[in-house]
Amino acid sequence: AAERKLPQFREEVKRLGLELEKLRRILPSTRNTEEIIKKIKSLVDQGEFTLNRLSFPPLGAQSSDPYVEWPIAVAVDGRYHDLAILFNRLGNFSRIMNVENISINAIGNQDNKTISSQFTAKTFVYVEQKDTPAEGEAKPGGK
């Protein structure tokens, strides 16, 4: 009976593998700093912003959740409506990207750029949970 169901099991494994790949794009297990720099730089260039700061602090503290927060500090000069478009496009990334702690100030000399904005683009990194043996169980390789 198991042999007859083998093709069905293989198809299920293939389907689950594709689903896992899709979910890893949304919540990857690596930081992918280079990819994020390229995407943010591309969005900044599209909106005709001046990128003043893009800093990547260390990952947040590990909690009981299977992910850690990764806040990215961004500072740009540009136009107000372009900033709204930038936020919308950040929200459309394939990976989770939230914008918070937004600060917007008017620029004194408003030739082409009218505002200066600082914000945190927060994304997340999946962290594999380490299996901890239950009390009384021996650890692998232990006596």
Side-chain angles (χ1 to χ4, degrees):
E3 245 181 74
R4 283 180 288 177
K5 291 185 178 182
L6 186 59
Q8 180 183 355
F9 291 143
R10 286 187 177 145
E11 186 63 33
E12 181 70 9
V13 166
K14 184 178 178 181
R15 185 187 67 75
L16 290 172
L18 292 172
E19 181 71 16
L20 178 62
E21 284 304 312
K22 183 176 123 184
L23 293 173
R24 288 224 167 137
R25 281 191 302 274
I26 295 170
L27 186 63
S29 58
T30 60
R31 289 175 31 152
N32 298 338
T33 307
E34 185 176 309
E35 176 188 352
I36 291 176
I37 290 172
K38 286 179 184 177
K39 286 183 177 182
I40 291 177
K41 178 75 171 109
S42 172
L43 292 179
V44 164
D45 290 344
Q46 288 174 17
E48 299 179 21
F49 289 98
T50 301
L51 183 62
N52 297 326
R53 182 181 51 168
L54 183 62
S55 63
F56 296 86
L59 293 175
Q62 174 74 35
S63 65
S64 61
D65 294 324
Y67 60 87
V68 291
E69 294 181 349
W70 185 28
I72 302 165
V74 183
V76 295
D77 292 344
R79 293 186 301 265
Y80 183 79
H81 294 294
D82 291 335
L83 184 64
I85 293 169
L86 174 69
F87 290 162
N88 182 47
R89 290 180 179 161
L90 282 172
N92 290 331
F93 270 7
S94 59
R95 76 185 288 159
I96 298 170
M97 185 74 71
N98 298 328
V99 176
E100 55 187 39
N101 301 326
I102 303 167
S103 170
I104 301 173
N105 299 304
I107 294 177
N109 183 8
Q110 297 186 359
D111 292 332
N112 189 24
K113 315 265 190 271
T114 58
I115 61 165
S116 176
S117 178
Q118 298 82 36
F119 58 91
T120 302
K122 187 183 287 184
T123 188
F124 303 89
V125 176
Y126 177 73
V127 178
E128 300 276 343
Q129 296 292 319
K130 304 278 191 267
D131 289 333
T132 55
E135 271 187 50
E137 289 184 22
K139 292 183 182 178
K143 291 185 178 182

